[in-house]
Amino acid sequence: MQITKQHLEFLEEAKIAFLVNVRWDTYFNDHSGLIALRFGPDRDCIRIYELGDEVGFFAQMIDQKSKTPDATAYER
């Protein structure tokens, strides 16, 4: 894949968003088709992905009033 001007512009947008919002680990906007992930030991790296087709929209899947499920149920 070749890095384009659109990718670099989105990178700068994500960089600013992460600087302003220090707790964010992901960033996207509605018009670029890209998503940025903050990672690294010092949280100073940004990885950008192009988004593909939507798998599905699953509404009202998380009951805010219920207890947190047992995390061991999801361990392999």
Side-chain angles (χ1 to χ4, degrees), residues 16-76:
I16 292 168
F18 288 143
L19 286 170
V20 172
N21 303 283
V22 296
R23 295 179 64 194
W24 286 9
D25 292 321
T26 60
Y27 173 77
F28 70 95
N29 62 31
D30 291 332
H31 60 273
S32 70
L34 302 169
I35 188 168
L37 305 176
R38 181 200 308 243
F39 74 103
D42 297 322
R43 298 183 41 152
D44 59 350
C45 303
I46 300 173
R47 179 169 280 166
I48 296 176
Y49 291 95
E50 287 188 357
L51 298 175
D53 294 332
E54 182 176 313
V55 172
F57 177 74
F58 304 93
Q60 299 175 338
M61 297 300 299
I62 302 170
D63 182 3
Q64 299 297 329
K65 296 177 185 175
S66 68
K67 292 183 178 181
T68 305
D70 181 11
T72 59
Y74 301 101
E75 294 176 357
R76 292 184 182 191

